[in-house]
Amino acid sequence: MTNSFSPYDLPAEKQLAQHFNKIKNIKIKDLFEKDHKRFEKFSIKNGDIFTDYSKNIITEKTLELLLEFAEQSGLKQAIEDMFCGKKINATEQRAVLHTAARSVFKKNNNPIVSDGADATEKLRKVFEKIAVFTKKITAGTKKGSTGKNFTHVINIGIGGSELGPKLLVSALKTFGNKNLTIKFISSPDPSHAKQILKQANPETTLFIIVSKSFTTKETLTNYKTARKWLVDSGIKKENVKKHFAAVSENQKEALNAGILPDYLFKTENFINGRCGVWSGAGLTPSLLLGNDLFADFLSGAYETDINFKSQPFEKNLPVILGLIDIWHRNFFKAQTWAIFPYEQALSMLPFYVAQLCMESNGKSINKQGKKINYASAPIVWGMPAPNAQHSCFQLLHQGTNLAPIDLLSPALAQNGEKNVEVLAANHFAQAEVLMNGETNAEIHNKLKKTGASENFINKTAAHMILQGNRPSISFIYKKLTPKLLGKLIAIYEHRIFVQGILWNIFSFDQWGVEAGKRMADKILSELTETKKKNNPKSVDSTAGLINIFKQFQTGD
Ligand code: F6P
């Protein structure tokens, strides 16, 4: 799709729109009645990840038209362009090569040239430096300034400079170095930082400052707080730098800020901030996991990459998932997309996917610079599924929204713990009830059996009806390991890439976040101005808030 201003000018879209009007009220449970092979036809097994997308309002014709849509939108070429290092991040004139990171330890992979140099070689150097550093920290040959081994690592970063590292650490801590406690500080909230620092021993704490730009105010504020904490805790000022490592594309800024060269790691410009773990931001997880398990993580994602590049679209999981997302978003007009992991270790996954999707595809201008006249990214939310069942599933069952969801659960607990079946039982139950609902007749029968009066039944049954026909996609995976997590994250990355191609938008810049940062700097100076001023330079709504803030602070 080169010249079309909108993928919605494509022939396949017109056919999809007609098809949608025909099937939009079809019942999923009837589709199962008609075809007992539906489950088999609408699922994909990729090794130890099984994905069931049968509980959606789609038929074989729907998939056929969606796949046609993918073909006509130029998705095949777009995938090749990304993998071969074309500058598809056009507004920043950068390639997008998190996929190159996954192949760095594979034998004889071809160089991927970006800006005249082999990107894979650059990434290999990053990971090799991380590996050497990890070995020294783990072996205790690189110690704190008073000669003690590091026991605490505190990752200071925000957005993709925290979410990826935090997802890996929270998901895989059971596999990790038991002598290391890893914490995260992202918010500039001084009380929060104080809480985290209080739990650490300054002599044995290593901070990892993660910032691709090395200009993010929140991160630099926390860097300052950490330095002050070390000095206030008795670490000599000249030795403070031995307690800091940093990850940045902006090496000059990091060195100027006092980071020692062999404590400084690169994140390349062709690794997008929200994919930081595939480069220098993999440092904190690597310290936890060690080099071999971190390599497993990379190899899991590599497996997904190979499938994404080579599988025919009809059996290509990220393509199918991305197409179903489009079907929900642009035809059913779903406003949200939720991720509900049943395994607590995956509790950070919804946050990671939220940034991946909303920061990549939360756009309203297409690649030709025109305003789009169709929906792009949904609002992504989620939380651990067991909690969600007791807090927001009510809306999913009886609300007025069609709210597509992903449900994920393991077949085996990470350390062989018993009773993991309870997670799967809840997962499968929710998916079934969301699909089948509960009719008035079923409720009447159920209440009659309880001996409830006719009057009570007539008054309350209506409130108990579950409309059903609510879509869900189920993922079952064998066990959450570093390799499995790499596979899963790559599936979500490519699924969101597919969405962006079909929406004909640039998925790898994030211009929308800059204005807020600049405004915050301006308002901060007004908030911290000591001279009492009741007429700040801000606009009324903000000036009013500034005045109230100051009144609360000074008690006036
Ligand atoms: O403001 C958005 C953003 O740039 C994200 O894309 C990024 O992950 C985060 O802020 C942190 O940026 P940096 O890694 O440059 O500190």
Side-chain angles (χ1 to χ4, degrees):
M1 177 186 51
T2 46
N3 48 18
S4 154
F5 282 155
S6 154
Y8 298 91
D9 301 337
L10 295 169
E13 194 281 334
K14 296 192 183 354
Q15 291 174 288
L16 271 167
Q18 288 158 7
H19 174 69
F20 172 72
N21 286 325
K22 248 192 266 166
I23 75 149
K24 61 190 176 187
N25 297 317
I26 211 162
K27 291 271 180 243
I28 306 169
K29 61 182 176 185
D30 296 344
L31 294 172
F32 275 97
E33 280 308 307
K34 282 195 202 110
D35 179 358
H36 293 295
K37 288 197 172 302
R38 181 175 174 82
F39 176 78
E40 197 184 309
K41 286 177 187 170
F42 291 81
S43 57
I44 292 180
K45 188 171 186 301
N46 271 357
D48 49 2
I49 297 185
F50 184 89
T51 308
D52 163 24
Y53 51 93
S54 61
K55 298 189 185 71
N56 287 281
I57 307 171
I58 50 174
T59 64
E60 287 175 282
K61 181 70 182 164
T62 317
L63 275 188
E64 184 195 308
L65 291 173
L66 284 169
L67 287 164
E68 188 48 39
F69 188 17
E71 291 296 347
Q72 290 176 14
S73 68
L75 179 61
K76 192 102 197 93
Q77 186 56 52
I79 294 171
E80 283 163 25
D81 289 350
M82 174 170 70
F83 276 86
C84 74
K86 201 170 165 202
K87 291 190 174 178
I88 62 170
N89 179 0
T91 65
E92 294 181 309
Q93 269 304 297
R94 292 173 175 174
V96 173
L97 282 168
H98 44 284
T99 50
R102 283 94 87 136
S103 64
V104 290
F105 295 128
K106 298 296 172 192
K107 298 272 172 289
N108 53 41
N109 45 50
N110 304 324
I112 299 170
V113 179
S114 177
D115 289 334
D118 175 6
T120 316
E121 190 46 36
K122 282 183 173 178
L123 290 163
R124 188 176 297 110
K125 286 204 173 82
V126 170
F127 287 128
E128 280 165 356
K129 186 171 180 181
I130 287 178
V132 169
F133 189 82
T134 298
K135 264 201 197 103
K136 287 180 178 171
I137 298 293
T138 314
T141 51
K142 192 177 271 290
K143 299 173 185 293
S145 59
T146 59
K148 292 183 178 166
N149 285 0
F150 287 115
T151 60
H152 274 72
V153 168
I154 299 182
N155 188 96
I156 293 183
I158 199 162
S161 293
E162 176 192 56
L163 290 172
K166 199 169 186 179
L167 170 58
L168 269 75
V169 168
S170 52
L172 303 172
K173 60 177 162 301
T174 191
F175 296 93
N177 176 347
K178 304 290 181 261
N179 304 322
L180 267 190
T181 300
I182 297 183
K183 299 280 183 190
F184 291 83
I185 300 178
S186 48
S187 162
D189 175 346
S191 320
H192 169 67
K194 193 173 160 196
Q195 281 309 313
I196 299 289
L197 294 173
K198 210 160 65 176
Q199 300 158 26
N201 170 353
E203 291 185 82
T204 63
T205 295
L206 174 69
F207 292 96
I208 315 274
I209 308 299
V210 186
S211 179
K212 183 171 180 183
S213 60
F214 221 87
T215 59
T216 302
K217 291 287 183 323
E218 296 90 336
T219 301
L220 297 179
T221 303
N222 285 320
Y223 178 28
K224 269 197 208 97
T225 304
R227 290 173 65 88
K228 185 175 181 307
W229 174 73
L230 286 173
V231 172
D232 292 351
S233 312
I235 301 294
K236 288 200 181 75
K237 209 171 167 68
E238 62 274 18
N239 290 337
V240 154
K241 53 180 60 176
K242 288 193 182 146
H243 291 266
F244 286 97
V247 175
S248 188
E249 180 193 352
N250 193 341
Q251 302 270 296
K252 185 165 161 289
E253 202 56 43
L255 292 168
N256 290 344
I259 302 295
L260 292 169
D262 66 334
Y263 287 67
L264 179 55
F265 300 84
K266 192 91 192 296
T267 193
E268 301 296 345
N269 77 6
F270 48 73
I271 298 289
N272 190 275
R274 38 200 174 275
C275 298
V277 284
W278 307 109
S279 180
L283 175 59
T284 298
S286 176
L287 289 171
L288 169 78
L289 295 172
N291 301 324
D292 294 347
L293 290 181
F294 190 75
D296 282 358
F297 169 68
L298 294 177
S299 68
Y302 180 76
E303 253 182 57
T304 297
D305 291 345
I306 296 299
N307 287 338
F308 184 50
K309 263 197 306 192
S310 59
Q311 293 274 2
F313 282 173
E314 63 274 14
K315 276 295 162 203
N316 191 314
L317 184 59
V319 172
I320 294 289
L321 296 173
L323 286 170
I324 293 173
D325 295 336
I326 298 293
W327 183 241
H328 286 144
R329 183 80 180 109
N330 299 96
F331 293 90
F332 278 98
K333 308 289 181 226
Q335 298 301 312
T336 64
W337 167 30
I339 317 287
F340 295 118
Y342 275 87
E343 187 164 20
Q344 195 62 26
L346 275 183
S347 54
M348 283 302 296
L349 183 65
F351 297 93
Y352 186 78
V353 175
Q355 185 192 16
L356 218 45
C357 182
M358 293 201 278
E359 199 166 71
S360 299
N361 294 338
K363 314 281 172 68
S364 52
I365 302 293
N366 68 20
K367 288 179 177 173
Q368 289 76 29
K370 306 281 177 204
K371 188 148 178 35
I372 60 176
N373 60 357
Y374 47 83
S376 56
I379 294 163
V380 182
W381 61 296
M383 64 185 79
N387 308 75
Q389 289 181 196
H390 296 271
S391 66
C392 50
F393 269 46
Q394 162 60 36
L395 178 141
L396 298 180
H397 285 290
Q398 290 191 319
T400 53
N401 307 61
L402 181 121
I405 62 172
D406 288 6
L407 301 170
L408 306 98
S409 58
L412 297 169
Q414 287 184 301
N415 292 304
E417 292 86 350
K418 296 275 170 282
N419 299 328
V420 73
E421 291 76 7
V422 67
L423 299 178
N426 277 279
H427 169 173
F428 303 163
Q430 290 298 327
E432 182 171 319
V433 173
L434 282 167
M435 174 177 73
N436 289 338
E438 211 166 27
T439 63
N440 195 29
E442 286 163 337
I443 287 159
H444 269 253
N445 292 338
K446 188 174 67 171
L447 291 174
K448 262 193 203 128
K449 284 184 190 136
T450 66
S453 70
E454 205 52 37
N455 180 37
F456 172 79
I457 293 175
N458 291 335
K459 272 202 313 198
T460 48
H463 301 284
M464 297 179 175
I465 291 170
L466 302 183
Q467 294 88 331
N469 227 35
R470 308 274 165 116
S472 64
I473 293 175
S474 283
F475 296 85
I476 316 172
Y477 51 88
K478 189 169 180 196
K479 182 161 88 165
L480 183 58
T481 62
K483 185 166 185 171
L484 189 286
L485 184 64
K487 275 176 93 168
L488 186 65
I489 289 178
I491 289 169
Y492 275 102
E493 282 170 355
H494 294 322
R495 171 178 184 177
I496 287 160
F497 171 81
V498 168
Q499 294 170 2
I501 297 303
L502 294 169
W503 284 326
N504 182 31
I505 54 180
F506 287 128
S507 296
F508 296 98
D509 56 25
Q510 49 286 320
W511 298 111
V513 299
E514 297 313 319
K517 295 177 185 178
R518 288 193 299 274
M519 184 60 77
D521 290 344
K522 174 178 162 294
I523 293 172
L524 182 61
S525 59
E526 291 186 40
L527 280 171
T528 48
E529 260 164 9
T530 44
K531 46 188 177 308
K532 280 194 183 302
K533 253 170 103 181
N534 263 331
N535 54 346
K537 295 184 278 300
S538 293
V539 297
D540 292 352
S541 63
T542 308
L545 292 171
I546 289 171
N547 290 334
I548 294 297
F549 176 87
K550 289 187 172 181
Q551 284 168 28
F552 278 165
Q553 276 208 331
T554 56
D556 291 356

